[in-house]
């Protein structure tokens, strides 16, 4: 359903309340339920992300809302695409965290990217003969599959979506470069600091941070596969950042206590994420 159909003002909400006499907690519960149904919902994360890159038309937003309406839930630790398989479409992440990854012959895995709400996996890979990487969920997710035909039609019918696809490909390329620099030139603490900065800026761009705090439901093994570190070094890196009072990590929620200091440790420059139009 288009977001505009939910655009009901506070005045309208008060006018729609029927003249019913309720008492105490029953009254509070009743109006809380009414307000929850009538308050406008936030745009889906794909709309929030793309509107930072291009000016979407009403038709573009309606198309993205139709895509969201067809999304389905997927459990954590589910393979969405296998490395080397025939591409059957891209995947739009609407809730949760997924990742791209590659496996060595001995089974060891390297995570090459995190896919957050609003991200689309491998826009260009769907037009290749085989998937260069695998895609799996880390947490429970809500996803929508976009067939090559759907992607091709949307890009040809909308100049804004065509431009957004090109920009997203450039952002992916720039992000790969940063991750390569991370693995090749930075210490374990610097790698983790850079990852935290990137996740913070990306999640803030789609409204999924609270102040300088955000959910980080990844395991130590996930971090090891991301940062290219042993289990021991993966454990020491957050401890060092805690010791410097730069971050706090409790119950899978990370809070950045000193963003300028964390940014300096990571040598982090968010310009490669292209978030400036939305103030990210």
């Amino acid at each position: 359903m288009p977001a505009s159909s939910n655009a009901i003002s506070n005045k309208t909400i008060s006018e729609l309340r029927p003249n019913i006499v309720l008492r105490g907690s029953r009254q509070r519960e009743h109006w809380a339920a009414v307000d929850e149904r009538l308050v406008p919902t936030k745009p889906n994360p794909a709309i929030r992300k793309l509107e930072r890159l291009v000016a979407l038309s009403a038709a573009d937003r309606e198309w993205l809302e139709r895509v969201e309406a067809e999304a389905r839930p997927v459990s954590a630790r589910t393979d969405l695409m296998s490395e080397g398989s025939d591409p059957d479409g891209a995947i739009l992440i609407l809730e949760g965290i997924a990742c791209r990854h590659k496996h060595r012959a001995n089974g060891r895995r390297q995570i090459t990217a995190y896919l957050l709400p609003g991200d689309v996996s491998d826009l260009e890979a769907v037009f290749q003969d085989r998937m260069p990487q695998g895609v799996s969920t880390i947490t429970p997710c809500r996803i929508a599959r976009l067939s090559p035909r759907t992607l091709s039609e949307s890009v040809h019918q909308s100049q804004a979506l065509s431009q957004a696809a090109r920009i997203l490909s450039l952002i992916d390329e720039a992000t790969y470069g940063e991750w390569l620099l991370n693995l090749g030139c930075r210490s374990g603490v610097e790698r983790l600091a850079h990852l935290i900065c990137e996740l913070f800026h990306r999640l803030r761009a789609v409204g999924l941070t609270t102040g300088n705090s955000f959910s980080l439901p990844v395991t130590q093994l996930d971090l090891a596969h991301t940062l290219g570190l042993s289990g021991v070094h993966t454990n020491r890196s957050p401890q060092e950042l805690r010791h410097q009072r730069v971050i706090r990590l409790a119950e899978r929620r990370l809070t950045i206590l000193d963003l300028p200091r964390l940014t300096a440790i990571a040598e982090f420059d968010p310009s490669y994420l292209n978030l400036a139009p939305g103030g990210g």
Side-chain angles (χ1 to χ4, degrees):
M1 178 181 295
S4 58
S5 64
N6 289 327
I8 303 174
S9 67
N10 290 334
K11 180 180 179 181
T12 307
I13 291 174
S14 64
E15 291 173 348
L16 288 174
R17 288 180 166 178
N19 188 16
I20 299 174
V21 178
L22 295 172
R23 295 287 184 268
S25 61
R26 289 185 61 203
Q27 184 185 53
R28 290 192 295 272
E29 291 170 2
H30 172 79
W31 295 128
V34 170
D35 287 348
E36 183 177 355
R37 291 194 300 270
L38 297 179
V39 170
T41 57
K42 293 181 179 179
N44 75 35
I47 293 176
R48 294 189 65 141
K49 179 172 182 175
L50 294 183
E51 284 186 330
R52 287 176 168 269
L53 306 177
V54 296
L56 296 177
S57 68
D60 295 331
R61 289 190 290 273
E62 288 173 5
W63 181 81
L64 289 164
E65 286 160 355
R66 288 197 300 272
V67 168
E68 181 184 25
E70 297 175 359
R72 62 183 180 88
V74 179
S75 301
R77 310 294 166 181
T78 299
D79 290 335
L80 302 177
M81 293 182 175
S82 299
E83 183 179 348
S85 65
D86 294 333
D88 60 353
I91 296 172
L92 170 62
I93 307 296
L94 291 160
E95 293 177 10
I97 300 177
C99 67
R100 296 191 191 101
H101 53 78
K102 291 185 72 68
H103 282 86
R104 291 186 56 191
N106 63 9
R108 292 193 63 179
R109 180 180 70 159
Q110 177 67 49
I111 291 177
T112 59
Y114 283 119
L115 301 172
L116 308 179
D119 289 344
V120 181
S121 71
D122 302 291
L123 275 171
E124 296 180 349
V126 298
F127 302 108
Q128 299 179 9
D129 293 332
R130 60 188 296 274
M131 285 296 298
Q133 303 178 73
V135 179
S136 302
T137 60
I138 291 178
T139 69
C141 290
R142 192 163 62 93
I143 69 164
R145 287 191 180 270
L146 305 172
S147 69
R149 179 178 178 179
T150 298
L151 286 170
S152 180
E153 289 178 351
S154 66
V155 166
H156 281 95
Q157 292 173 5
S158 169
Q159 183 177 356
L161 292 178
S162 176
Q163 182 183 3
R166 291 195 296 270
I167 296 173
L168 289 175
S169 294
L170 291 173
I171 292 173
D172 272 354
E173 184 178 346
T175 303
Y176 275 128
E178 289 293 331
W179 280 49
L180 181 61
L181 183 64
N182 239 15
L183 292 173
C185 297
R186 293 187 175 117
S187 68
V189 171
E190 292 166 344
R191 294 179 198 183
L192 179 59
H194 196 278
L195 176 66
I196 292 171
C197 285
E198 180 183 298
L199 293 177
F200 170 68
H201 283 272
R202 290 172 62 192
L203 288 168
R204 186 171 66 174
V206 291
L208 294 176
T209 58
T210 302
N212 282 1
S213 177
F214 60 93
S215 176
L216 186 63
V218 299
T219 66
Q220 183 171 321
L221 185 60
D222 292 328
L223 287 178
H225 290 169
T226 303
L227 303 175
L229 299 172
S230 67
V232 172
H233 283 89
T234 302
N235 186 48
R236 287 176 180 170
S237 297
Q239 287 182 358
E240 177 62 26
L241 292 177
R242 287 194 194 101
H243 178 72
Q244 295 186 39
R245 297 182 180 180
V246 177
I247 65 167
R248 180 173 62 245
L249 182 60
E251 298 181 352
R252 297 194 172 187
R253 188 160 192 89
L254 189 141
T255 301
I256 301 174
L257 303 176
D258 189 340
L259 182 57
R261 174 63 178 150
L262 184 69
T263 301
I265 292 172
E267 298 179 340
F268 186 79
D269 178 359
S271 60
Y272 72 94
L273 296 173
N274 206 346
L275 299 174

